[in-house]
Protein backbone atom coordinates (compact mmCIF):
# COMPACT_ATOMS: atom_id res chain seq x y z
CA UNK A 1 0.00 0.00 0.00
CA UNK A 2 1.44 3.41 -1.01
CA UNK A 3 1.55 6.07 1.76
CA UNK A 4 -0.61 9.13 1.25
CA UNK A 5 1.21 12.15 -0.23
CA UNK A 6 0.11 14.16 2.81
CA UNK A 7 1.78 11.75 5.24
CA UNK A 8 5.16 12.99 6.61
CA UNK A 9 8.19 10.73 6.37
CA UNK A 10 8.47 8.40 9.33
CA UNK A 11 11.69 10.05 10.48
CA UNK A 12 10.44 13.66 10.34
CA UNK A 13 8.65 13.57 13.69
CA UNK A 14 11.52 12.30 15.89
CA UNK A 15 14.11 14.45 14.13
CA UNK A 16 11.93 17.54 14.32
CA UNK A 17 11.18 16.88 17.97
CA UNK A 18 14.87 16.38 18.75
CA UNK A 19 15.79 19.60 16.97
CA UNK A 20 13.06 21.55 18.76
CA UNK A 21 14.10 20.07 22.10
CA UNK A 22 17.70 21.13 21.56
CA UNK A 23 16.68 24.63 20.54
CA UNK A 24 14.53 24.83 23.66
CA UNK A 25 17.45 23.80 25.87
CA UNK A 26 19.72 26.37 24.26
CA UNK A 27 17.10 29.08 24.69
CA UNK A 28 16.64 28.13 28.34
CA UNK A 29 20.40 28.23 28.87
CA UNK A 30 20.61 31.66 27.23
CA UNK A 31 17.78 32.94 29.43
CA UNK A 32 19.42 31.53 32.57
CA UNK A 33 22.77 33.10 31.77
CA UNK A 34 21.14 36.42 30.92
CA UNK A 35 19.19 36.40 34.21
CA UNK A 36 22.32 35.76 36.25
CA UNK A 37 24.16 38.56 34.47
CA UNK A 38 21.26 40.99 34.97
CA UNK A 39 21.05 40.00 38.65
CA UNK A 40 24.71 40.87 39.12
CA UNK A 41 25.88 37.33 39.84
CA UNK A 42 28.69 38.06 37.36
CA UNK A 43 29.30 41.82 37.40
CA UNK A 44 30.54 43.70 34.37
CA UNK A 45 34.17 42.96 33.65
CA UNK A 46 34.21 39.65 35.49
CA UNK A 47 34.85 36.20 34.05
CA UNK A 48 31.95 33.75 33.97
CA UNK A 49 32.44 30.16 35.17
CA UNK A 50 34.05 27.59 32.90
CA UNK A 51 31.99 25.57 30.44
CA UNK A 52 31.96 22.37 32.56
CA UNK A 53 30.83 24.29 35.64
CA UNK A 54 28.08 26.06 33.72
CA UNK A 55 26.90 22.77 32.23
CA UNK A 56 26.68 21.25 35.70
CA UNK A 57 24.92 24.29 37.19
CA UNK A 58 22.37 24.52 34.37
CA UNK A 59 21.83 20.78 34.07
CA UNK A 60 22.57 20.69 30.34
CA UNK A 61 25.31 19.39 28.08
CA UNK A 62 28.49 21.28 27.28
CA UNK A 63 27.43 21.70 23.64
CA UNK A 64 24.26 23.45 24.80
CA UNK A 65 26.30 25.77 27.03
CA UNK A 66 28.70 26.43 24.17
CA UNK A 67 25.84 27.48 21.87
CA UNK A 68 24.27 29.68 24.56
CA UNK A 69 27.55 31.43 25.27
CA UNK A 70 28.18 31.88 21.55
CA UNK A 71 24.76 33.53 21.18
CA UNK A 72 25.50 35.97 24.00
CA UNK A 73 28.91 36.74 22.53
CA UNK A 74 27.22 37.52 19.22
CA UNK A 75 24.72 39.73 21.08
CA UNK A 76 27.61 41.64 22.63
CA UNK A 77 26.83 40.59 26.21
CA UNK A 78 29.89 38.34 26.60
CA UNK A 79 33.39 38.48 25.18
CA UNK A 80 35.76 35.53 24.71
CA UNK A 81 39.40 36.36 25.37
CA UNK A 82 41.90 33.88 24.04
CA UNK A 83 43.68 32.06 26.84
CA UNK A 84 41.81 33.95 29.54
CA UNK A 85 38.13 33.00 29.48
CA UNK A 86 34.75 34.57 28.77
CA UNK A 87 33.89 37.93 30.34
CA UNK A 88 30.76 40.00 30.87
CA UNK A 89 30.99 43.20 28.83
CA UNK A 90 27.36 44.38 28.95
CA UNK A 91 24.13 43.52 30.71
CA UNK A 92 21.69 43.44 27.81
CA UNK A 93 21.43 43.22 24.03
CA UNK A 94 20.91 46.96 23.61
CA UNK A 95 24.20 47.61 25.33
CA UNK A 96 25.67 44.83 23.22
CA UNK A 97 24.52 46.57 20.05
CA UNK A 98 26.25 49.74 21.22
CA UNK A 99 29.39 47.75 21.96
CA UNK A 100 29.38 46.25 18.45
CA UNK A 101 29.06 49.72 16.95
CA UNK A 102 31.97 50.93 19.04
CA UNK A 103 34.06 48.02 17.84
CA UNK A 104 33.98 49.45 14.30
CA UNK A 105 34.48 53.08 15.32
CA UNK A 106 37.67 55.00 14.77
CA UNK A 107 39.94 55.49 17.78
CA UNK A 108 39.31 59.26 17.69
CA UNK A 109 35.55 58.76 17.75
CA UNK A 110 35.77 56.47 20.76
CA UNK A 111 37.89 59.00 22.66
CA UNK A 112 35.35 61.72 21.87
CA UNK A 113 32.53 59.55 23.22
CA UNK A 114 34.60 58.85 26.33
CA UNK A 115 35.07 62.58 26.74
CA UNK A 116 31.34 63.22 26.57
CA UNK A 117 30.69 60.62 29.28
CA UNK A 118 33.66 61.14 31.57
CA UNK A 119 33.69 64.94 31.77
CA UNK A 120 30.02 65.05 32.76
CA UNK A 121 30.41 62.09 35.12
CA UNK A 122 33.29 63.84 36.90
CA UNK A 123 31.19 66.99 37.26
CA UNK A 124 28.21 65.09 38.65
CA UNK A 125 30.36 62.93 40.92
CA UNK A 126 31.84 66.04 42.55
CA UNK A 127 28.31 67.25 43.27
CA UNK A 128 26.81 63.97 44.44
CA UNK A 129 29.58 61.81 45.92
CA UNK A 130 28.95 60.16 49.26
CA UNK A 131 31.54 59.05 51.84
CA UNK A 132 31.14 55.52 50.49
CA UNK A 133 31.80 56.75 46.96
CA UNK A 134 34.94 58.56 48.09
CA UNK A 135 36.23 55.43 49.80
CA UNK A 136 35.62 53.43 46.61
CA UNK A 137 37.41 56.06 44.53
CA UNK A 138 40.43 56.11 46.84
CA UNK A 139 40.66 52.30 46.79
CA UNK A 140 40.31 52.15 42.99
CA UNK A 141 42.95 54.85 42.54
CA UNK A 142 45.37 52.97 44.80
CA UNK A 143 44.79 49.75 42.85
CA UNK A 144 45.36 51.59 39.57
CA UNK A 145 48.67 53.02 40.75
CA UNK A 146 49.79 49.64 42.09
CA UNK A 147 48.94 48.00 38.77
CA UNK A 148 51.00 50.60 36.91
CA UNK A 149 53.99 50.04 39.16
CA UNK A 150 53.62 46.31 38.62
CA UNK A 151 54.05 46.75 34.86
CA UNK A 152 51.16 44.44 33.92
CA UNK A 153 49.20 46.02 31.04
CA UNK A 154 46.08 43.84 31.40
CA UNK A 155 45.90 44.43 35.14
CA UNK A 156 46.38 48.16 34.68
CA UNK A 157 43.63 48.42 32.06
CA UNK A 158 41.24 46.55 34.38
CA UNK A 159 42.16 48.84 37.28
CA UNK A 160 41.78 51.97 35.15
CA UNK A 161 38.29 50.92 34.01
CA UNK A 162 37.36 50.08 37.60
CA UNK A 163 38.30 53.62 38.66
CA UNK A 164 36.25 55.19 35.89
CA UNK A 165 33.28 53.00 36.72
CA UNK A 166 33.61 54.15 40.34
CA UNK A 167 33.42 57.75 39.11
CA UNK A 168 30.32 56.85 37.10
CA UNK A 169 28.78 55.26 40.20
CA UNK A 170 29.55 58.41 42.22
CA UNK A 171 27.64 60.45 39.64
CA UNK A 172 24.48 58.58 40.70
CA UNK A 173 22.97 58.51 37.21
CA UNK A 174 21.97 54.95 36.35
CA UNK A 175 21.45 55.63 32.65
CA UNK A 176 24.87 57.28 32.35
CA UNK A 177 26.53 54.31 34.05
CA UNK A 178 24.75 51.76 31.86
CA UNK A 179 25.61 53.59 28.65
CA UNK A 180 29.21 53.92 29.75
CA UNK A 181 29.40 50.20 30.52
CA UNK A 182 28.05 49.48 27.03
CA UNK A 183 31.26 50.81 25.49
CA UNK A 184 33.45 48.79 27.83
CA UNK A 185 35.22 46.79 25.12
CA UNK A 186 36.00 49.91 23.10
CA UNK A 187 37.17 51.64 26.27
CA UNK A 188 39.52 48.77 27.01
CA UNK A 189 41.01 49.03 23.53
CA UNK A 190 41.62 52.79 23.72
CA UNK A 191 43.23 52.57 27.16
CA UNK A 192 45.47 49.68 26.10
CA UNK A 193 46.52 51.55 22.96
CA UNK A 194 47.20 54.76 24.88
CA UNK A 195 49.49 53.22 27.51
CA UNK A 196 50.72 49.94 26.02
CA UNK A 197 52.43 47.74 25.50
CA UNK A 198 55.20 48.42 28.01
CA UNK A 199 53.63 51.04 30.35
CA UNK A 200 56.32 53.59 29.59
CA UNK A 201 56.50 56.36 32.24
CA UNK A 202 55.86 59.02 29.58
CA UNK A 203 52.42 57.52 29.01
CA UNK A 204 51.27 57.51 32.60
CA UNK A 205 48.21 59.67 33.28
CA UNK A 206 47.88 60.59 36.95
CA UNK A 207 44.26 60.62 38.13
CA UNK A 208 45.09 61.81 41.65
CA UNK A 209 43.97 65.40 40.96
CA UNK A 210 40.74 64.16 39.37
CA UNK A 211 39.84 62.08 42.42
CA UNK A 212 40.85 64.97 44.72
CA UNK A 213 38.52 67.36 42.87
CA UNK A 214 35.63 64.93 43.27
CA UNK A 215 36.48 64.39 46.92
CA UNK A 216 36.60 68.18 47.48
CA UNK A 217 33.19 68.62 45.85
CA UNK A 218 34.51 70.93 43.11
CA UNK A 219 32.56 70.08 39.92
CA UNK A 220 34.28 72.55 37.61
CA UNK A 221 37.77 71.44 38.66
CA UNK A 222 36.73 67.79 38.30
CA UNK A 223 35.41 68.45 34.79
CA UNK A 224 38.64 70.25 33.82
CA UNK A 225 40.78 67.37 35.10
CA UNK A 226 38.72 64.84 33.13
CA UNK A 227 38.89 67.00 30.01
CA UNK A 228 42.65 67.45 30.35
CA UNK A 229 43.61 63.77 30.10
CA UNK A 230 41.22 63.28 27.19
CA UNK A 231 42.83 66.03 25.16
CA UNK A 232 40.37 68.88 25.54
CA UNK A 233 39.73 71.74 27.92
Amino acid sequence: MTPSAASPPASAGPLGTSRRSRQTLVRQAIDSLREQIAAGDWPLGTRIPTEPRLAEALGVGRNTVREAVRALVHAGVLECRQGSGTYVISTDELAGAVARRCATAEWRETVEVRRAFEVEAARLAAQRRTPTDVASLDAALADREAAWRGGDLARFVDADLTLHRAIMAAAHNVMLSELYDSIGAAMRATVAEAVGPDLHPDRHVDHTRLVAAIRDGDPERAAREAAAYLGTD
Side-chain angles (χ1 to χ4, degrees):
M1 180 176 173
T2 303
S4 168
S7 302
S11 60
L15 287 175
T17 300
S18 176
R19 187 176 298 112
R20 286 193 298 273
S21 297
R22 179 169 181 75
Q23 290 173 345
T24 298
L25 286 174
V26 172
R27 172 51 57 187
Q28 290 173 347
I30 291 171
D31 290 343
S32 294
L33 295 175
R34 185 186 292 117
E35 287 171 5
Q36 291 183 74
I37 292 168
D41 293 349
W42 305 313
L44 284 163
T46 61
R47 184 174 60 187
I48 67 172
T50 60
E51 191 176 277
R53 288 179 58 191
L54 287 175
E56 181 179 359
L58 298 176
V60 296
R62 292 180 59 173
N63 286 339
T64 299
V65 169
R66 191 173 300 123
E67 288 188 38
V69 168
R70 188 181 300 123
L72 291 176
V73 167
H74 180 72
V77 175
L78 299 176
E79 178 183 62
C80 292
R81 301 177 191 167
Q82 187 65 34
S84 179
T86 302
Y87 290 77
V88 179
I89 60 171
S90 66
T91 57
D92 56 52
E93 280 78 358
L94 176 59
V98 175
R100 288 196 300 278
R101 175 62 186 88
C102 288
T104 62
E106 294 182 4
W107 187 84
R108 174 186 56 81
E109 291 178 336
T110 303
V111 172
E112 289 173 352
V113 171
R114 282 189 60 190
R115 181 184 303 157
F117 283 132
E118 293 182 21
V119 171
E120 183 61 19
R123 189 192 314 276
L124 292 174
Q127 295 171 337
R128 300 173 178 175
R129 81 280 182 269
T130 66
T132 299
D133 292 328
V134 172
S136 296
L137 289 170
D138 287 339
L141 178 63
D143 287 344
R144 181 180 185 271
E145 294 305 301
W148 180 272
R149 291 192 299 270
D152 185 327
L153 176 61
R155 182 187 167 204
F156 174 77
V157 172
D158 284 342
D160 183 74
L161 295 182
T162 296
L163 174 59
H164 288 295
R165 285 184 176 124
I167 294 172
M168 289 289 159
H172 294 279
N173 183 312
V174 174
M175 182 178 291
L176 182 63
S177 293
E178 290 178 349
L179 288 171
Y180 188 75
D181 284 334
S182 73
I183 64 169
M187 278 280 301
R188 179 179 297 277
T190 62
V191 172
E193 182 174 345
V195 303
D198 54 359
L199 299 186
H200 192 278
D202 290 345
R203 295 190 171 191
H204 181 257
V205 177
D206 187 1
H207 283 347
T208 302
R209 292 189 300 274
L210 171 60
V211 172
I214 294 172
R215 185 191 303 111
D216 293 344
D218 189 332
E220 296 311 312
R221 179 156 57 98
R224 285 197 304 271
E225 290 295 337
Y229 69 79
L230 288 166
T232 188
D233 49 27

